[in-house]
Amino acid sequence: MSKRAAAKHLIERYYHQLTEGCGNESCSNSWCASSVGFNRMDNNTAAVKALELYKVNAKLCDPHPSKKGSASAYLESSAHGNSACGHRKMNHKDVHSVRDNFKDLNYLTEEKVYEILDICGEKEDYSPLIRVIGRVFSSAEGLVQSFRRSKPHTKEELKSLQGKDEDKDEDEKEAAACSATAMEEDTPASSSSSRLGEGSSGENDVQKLAPDEVSVDIEAVRRVYDRLLSNEKIEAAFLNALVYLSPNVECDLTYHNVYSRDPNYLNLFVIVMENSNLHSPEYLEIALPQFCKAMSKLPLAAQAKLARLWSHYSAEQIRRMVETFQQLITYKVISNEFSSRNLVNDDDAVVAATKCLKIVYYANVLGGDLDMEHNEEEDEEPIPESSELTLQELLGEERRNKKGPRVDPLETELGIRTNDCRRPLIPFEEFVNEPLNEVLEMDKDYTFFKVETENKFSFMTCPFILNAVTKNLGLYYDNRIRMYSERRITVLYSLVQGQQLNPYLRLKVRRDHIIDDALVRLEMIAMENPADLKKQLYVEFEGEQGVDEGGVSKEFFQLVVEEIFNPDIGMFTYDERTKLFWFNPSSFENEGQYTLIGIVLGLAIYNNCILDVHFPMVVYRKLMGKKGTFRDLADANPVLYQSLKELLEYEGSVEEDMMITFQISQTDLFGNPLMYDLRENGDKIPVTNENRKEFVAQYAEYMLNKSVEKQFKAFRRGFHMVTNESPLKYLFRPEEIELLICGSRNLDFLALEETTEYDGGYNRDSRIIKEFWETLHSFGEEQKRLFLQFTTGTDRAPVGGLGKLKMIIAKNGPDTDRLPTSHTCFNVLLLPEYSSKEKLRERLLKAITYAKGFGML
């Protein structure tokens, strides 16, 4: 056995020990699940811990006699290796007596399984059942014909799929067995004579089925697994059969187009995925990776059907499938040393499991709380193209993403978007695989994403598995490449037409007239050549020395936001209770001003700057194409939300007790009342118990959409001028967009201390450095924000928290009365070696309190 194989085997044993234990109830090994007081951990945590235990050569328990048997199953399965295309039959030379009764059994029903189980139980010999399972579960044809139901699921049966099987009692099992008998008596011929891809039985079955139905009796399959998986020898038969089955299924789907000839082929995947032991260590090495490869070859229509079917499952069942695929990905990641030369993108098992996870992801979306109706209308006039387009075509440069933003094919097939889901069955965060994110080479992955070659997989096509930090890095690469492209085009344009070279988006502003200068300049650019907005931003404050390597831009954005969101200007209203801004429906500003604010927001994302803006989440949902609804009022206007909620729940007579109509009142800037009819002649239509739902929906529609329609459309248009060609919508959900724009509100200075680097003679153990961190940790919340502002140009943490900031503290000479200084572009703090902690605190507080400007002249 090679060194790597031996390592994998040991890691697997550690994992088995952490998840299932050695079986010895008096075990004293603290890293064994059988020991007293052991804290149970989820599968992903156990996989990571198993690798750690392997590295330190921790104690391994010997399997207790009660646990032996599973390891032999694994060895037996691994000995088979990969099989070629074509059906392989198992050896049955030793079939005697009772076994002869089942040697011609090529498919299974629930009743037949129980019959064989009873016979085996009487003789205390389970080999006939093991052989039948091996034969049927290793044959695609046999498995497809097994556990058929006689009629399509009713709505009640689909709902029952969400129930917990372990709660079923024996009476239900007997009733199910009876129904299976009836099914077998009704349709014996069609079940036994049908061949894959031949005849019309498969097609006829499918014509009777709804898009979210299959012809397999899922409840029966679950009951069978419950009975059989408790027996270790029988469990090994499922494992070995799956090793035989998967390569043949992969062949069928890749070369024989079997699903289009018989859509019942999908039954095979439904049956196998009901095996609750798929994530156990025995499956992780060979069986599950091979099965995932086969499943990833399913055509788009089959994947969509699986997603629709699984969307009826309960949250616990969805979570089990997610954990199965996540477990395989984590196992493969920690047992291999991935790097820029050995990319995780080239690991077939990880890629296949991620593709399978995508099907479960969309099932999770479909099964959640959906809002398919309230969609924002597209912009009436398209975003103007660059005047350089003709030249680009002459130079062979085609505008990227001319067809619009990328859309996932499975999303299109299902007719749903992630943003349509208000609340999924299980949280989206459970689909993120952190170990994968740690080894993913994002520069390479982004290249594969843009090139879209069939032989290179990009995890950006499955953004649900990536965390916000990784996706933000992908967006950063996209923005930078776009900037370089615009710069190259500008240079070529200047050479051809002899115009002045201007490769950057330059803004020269006066600090005391920042809004006038910046917005007028941006308005001119937006009208003349919107493509210039996609150039790298370069800000210069008039009369100051600062060179913009990022820090000047940060302060520019902060000052612009402070001015724009000043309630005295009247473009936005501010709610003291929620600390949130909202569009002012009676603002005197024209639409162009809101367009410019949208441009500023887009530029902040495009230039990787964080803004101190405070919008309710509904603004980001609207930017992603969804209208505001009643439930969005919960954070946008909680007082109104609570009032309308009480109206909906009121048990008395709404008309007699409340005496309200379909006419509502709002106040303008000067406090004058403005009346608005939610329906025609609304003042004459009373709100009743019957029409109160309509009243609430219309009220929310007015408050969040109609009253600010002009302002928001202009704002969105400006935002899209900068981001229309970006993968922003494809990669991020609304809550992640807020994180991109606003940064994290959680300031963990301990994480910042851990990741800070030192230069100029300082190190982590220097006296001044220890005193510095003690001083900083003693600051109040506001002082800490001022320090961040002083050092980095913003008082918010980036996506992923302060640990991602990479601050540098450099020595700036011996003890002196000079204040600390900073290079905000590079997050560098220049700190003199002050003689005492008190002097350090006094000098630092003065520096961060009066920090404005860049070397004023």
Side-chain angles (χ1 to χ4, degrees), residues 120-138:
C120 292
E122 289 173 7
K123 296 184 174 292
E124 296 184 355
D125 177 13
Y126 289 93
S127 56
L129 179 58
I130 291 172
R131 292 179 182 276
V132 169
I133 288 173
R135 183 167 64 249
V136 173
F137 275 74
S138 63

Side-chain angles (χ1 to χ4, degrees), residues 388-401:
E388 298 168 1
L389 188 59
T390 306
L391 179 68
Q392 280 181 295
E393 291 173 341
L394 286 171
L395 296 170
E397 286 272 346
E398 292 187 11
R399 179 70 58 181
R400 291 174 301 279
N401 291 335

Side-chain angles (χ1 to χ4, degrees), residues 523-542:
E523 188 172 19
M524 288 175 61
I525 293 169
M527 288 191 298
E528 292 174 6
N529 193 10
D532 281 356
L533 295 171
K534 297 186 176 78
K535 294 176 179 177
Q536 186 173 349
L537 181 65
Y538 190 93
V539 177
E540 181 183 345
F541 284 107
E542 197 171 280

Side-chain angles (χ1 to χ4, degrees), residues 608-657:
N608 212 31
C609 289
I610 293 170
L611 300 182
D612 186 21
V613 297
H614 305 273
F615 282 130
M617 185 56 65
V618 65
V619 170
Y620 303 104
R621 283 184 55 78
K622 284 166 73 69
L623 279 175
M624 300 290 272
K626 300 300 293 185
K627 284 186 174 181
T629 61
F630 166 61
R631 66 171 63 186
D632 291 306
L633 284 173
D635 68 323
N637 194 333
V639 174
L640 177 60
Y641 174 80
Q642 190 59 37
S643 299
L644 293 177
K645 188 167 179 281
E646 289 172 3
L647 170 65
L648 289 173
E649 295 169 352
Y650 188 68
E651 296 181 357
S653 171
V654 172
E655 183 177 4
E656 293 179 6
D657 297 347

Side-chain angles (χ1 to χ4, degrees), residues 446-510:
Y446 172 77
T447 305
F448 303 150
F449 177 72
K450 296 302 288 185
V451 174
E452 295 186 67
T453 56
E454 288 187 8
N455 59 339
K456 286 292 184 181
F457 176 79
S458 167
F459 288 94
M460 284 179 71
T461 60
C462 298
F464 55 83
I465 204 168
L466 305 177
N467 59 33
V469 176
T470 306
K471 288 191 279 191
N472 188 39
L473 190 56
L475 185 66
Y476 172 80
Y477 286 129
D478 187 81
N479 293 342
R480 289 291 150 179
I481 288 172
R482 206 174 299 279
M483 287 176 186
Y484 298 149
S485 176
E486 293 295 341
R487 193 181 304 171
R488 188 176 74 250
I489 290 298
T490 302
V491 172
L492 291 170
Y493 201 87
S494 66
L495 290 173
V496 173
Q497 296 202 351
Q499 292 186 356
Q500 183 181 356
L501 180 63
N502 189 15
Y504 297 97
L505 173 58
R506 288 185 178 273
L507 294 178
K508 188 171 183 178
V509 295
R510 295 166 293 175

Side-chain angles (χ1 to χ4, degrees), residues 110-325:
E110 184 181 16
E111 187 235 12
K112 184 61 70 177
V113 171
Y114 295 157
E115 178 189 329
I116 301 172
L117 190 62
D118 290 342
I119 293 172
C120 292
E122 289 173 7
K123 296 184 174 292
E124 296 184 355
D125 177 13
Y126 289 93
S127 56
L129 179 58
I130 291 172
R131 292 179 182 276
V132 169
I133 288 173
R135 183 167 64 249
V136 173
F137 275 74
S138 63
S139 160
E141 185 178 342
L143 205 52
V144 167
Q145 297 299 336
S146 295
F147 306 107
R148 290 289 187 95
R149 56 191 176 84
S150 56
K151 59 184 179 180
H153 285 304
T154 63
K155 288 183 178 179
E156 289 72 21
E157 287 173 328
L158 281 173
K159 286 181 182 177
S160 76
L161 290 179
Q162 300 177 6
K164 292 185 178 178
D165 303 323
E166 51 266 28
D167 294 334
K168 304 287 183 185
D169 57 24
E170 289 302 317
D171 291 340
E172 290 177 301
K173 290 182 181 178
E174 289 175 10
C178 293
S179 67
T181 309
M183 180 195 80
E184 189 182 18
E185 290 171 357
D186 289 344
T187 59
S190 65
S191 295
S192 59
S193 64
S194 174
R195 307 288 293 178
L196 288 184
E198 299 175 9
S200 58
S201 62
E203 295 173 11
N204 291 339
D205 282 348
V206 172
Q207 288 173 2
K208 301 172 186 175
L209 298 174
D212 55 355
E213 289 184 328
V214 287
S215 55
V216 65
D217 188 340
I218 298 172
E219 284 295 309
V221 173
R222 289 177 181 170
R223 289 190 292 267
V224 167
Y225 274 127
D226 279 348
R227 288 282 294 273
L228 300 185
L229 287 179
S230 57
N231 186 312
E232 287 188 0
K233 291 181 180 178
I234 297 176
E235 181 190 355
F238 285 117
L239 170 64
N240 294 331
L242 191 58
V243 173
Y244 274 101
L245 173 73
S246 299
N248 296 328
V249 172
E250 185 179 354
C251 249
D252 285 344
L253 291 168
T254 306
Y255 303 110
H256 302 151
N257 200 21
V258 66
Y259 177 77
S260 62
R261 288 184 283 133
D262 183 9
N264 285 314
Y265 200 81
L266 204 61
N267 291 6
L268 180 156
F269 296 94
V270 176
I271 292 171
V272 172
M273 284 304 299
E274 288 301 324
N275 184 342
S276 59
N277 284 0
L278 278 181
H279 65 276
S280 61
E282 293 82 6
Y283 285 84
L284 288 178
E285 185 65 32
I286 296 177
L288 188 55
Q290 287 187 352
F291 178 71
C292 287
K293 285 183 204 173
M295 188 171 170
S296 68
K297 302 292 183 184
L298 280 170
L300 198 60
Q303 293 180 34
K305 193 176 182 75
L306 268 183
R308 292 189 187 101
L309 171 72
W310 288 341
S311 70
H312 295 288
Y313 284 19
S314 69
E316 289 75 16
Q317 289 154 348
I318 291 289
R319 183 173 282 110
R320 177 184 61 80
M321 289 192 286
V322 169
E323 288 178 352
T324 297
F325 296 126

Side-chain angles (χ1 to χ4, degrees), residues 36-60:
V36 179
F38 179 79
N39 292 324
R40 292 283 173 180
M41 53 184 76
D42 61 51
N43 294 328
N44 278 341
T45 306
V48 174
K49 194 66 191 176
L51 183 62
E52 293 176 4
L53 294 177
Y54 164 74
K55 287 179 178 177
V56 299
N57 197 24
K59 180 183 176 182
L60 261 176

